[in-house]
Amino acid sequence: MHRLCIYVLYDSENIFDDYISNILKEMKLLCEKVVVIINAEDTSKDYVGDLSSADKIIVRQNKGYDAGAYKDCLCNDMTRQELQEFDEIVLMNDTFYGPIYP
C-alpha cells in the first residue's frame, strides 16, 4: 500500500518542538512520501526545528487554516499523476503527539 502523508504545522513563531520531528520520523516509516506544510503568519521567517524526515516542505500564508493547506497541496502543489501513485492519503496536523504504532 502506497501512502502519502500531508502534515500541517502552525506556530506563530515558526518554532517546532521535538515531538513533531518524532512523529514525522514515524510517519516516514509508514508512508512513501511525507509533505509538511507550514502555515505561517510571516512566510519570510525561517522555521526552527528538525523537519528532515519530510520529503517536501511548503511554507504558505495561514489562509484557510488546515483545510486550506490540504486543499492547496492537493490541488496546486501536486499533479494528478503524482496523486494517483498513492492508495491512501493521511491528513494530519500538529495537535497530537506520537509515537505512532503500526
Side-chain angles (χ1 to χ4, degrees):
M1 176 145 322
H2 296 283
R3 290 184 189 99
L4 164 66
C5 174
I6 302 173
Y7 190 76
V8 176
L9 297 172
Y10 173 80
D11 182 275
S12 61
E13 298 177 353
N14 285 0
I15 299 171
F16 304 113
D17 296 323
D18 290 341
Y19 79 91
I20 292 171
S21 173
N22 292 337
I23 203 163
L24 289 175
K25 286 176 190 170
E26 294 296 323
M27 290 310 295
K28 188 62 184 165
L29 297 174
L30 300 171
C31 300
E32 282 68 35
K33 184 169 186 172
V34 176
V35 176
V36 171
I37 303 171
I38 300 173
N39 278 340
E41 299 298 328
D42 180 358
T43 58
S44 67
K45 284 171 66 175
D46 288 334
Y47 65 85
V48 177
D50 179 14
L51 305 180
S52 62
S53 294
D55 296 297
K56 183 175 186 178
I57 298 174
I58 300 166
V59 181
R60 64 181 288 279
Q61 284 288 321
N62 191 24
K63 294 183 179 177
Y65 305 106
D66 291 0
Y70 298 134
K71 178 183 178 257
D72 282 351
C73 180
L74 293 169
C75 296
N76 301 325
D77 295 312
M78 299 188 76
T79 66
R80 183 175 299 262
Q81 184 177 4
E82 284 177 295
L83 291 172
Q84 289 176 339
E85 295 174 14
F86 301 102
D87 300 306
E88 291 182 357
I89 300 174
V90 179
L91 304 177
M92 302 174 63
N93 67 20
D94 58 346
T95 58
F96 64 93
Y97 296 84
I100 303 282
Y101 295 98

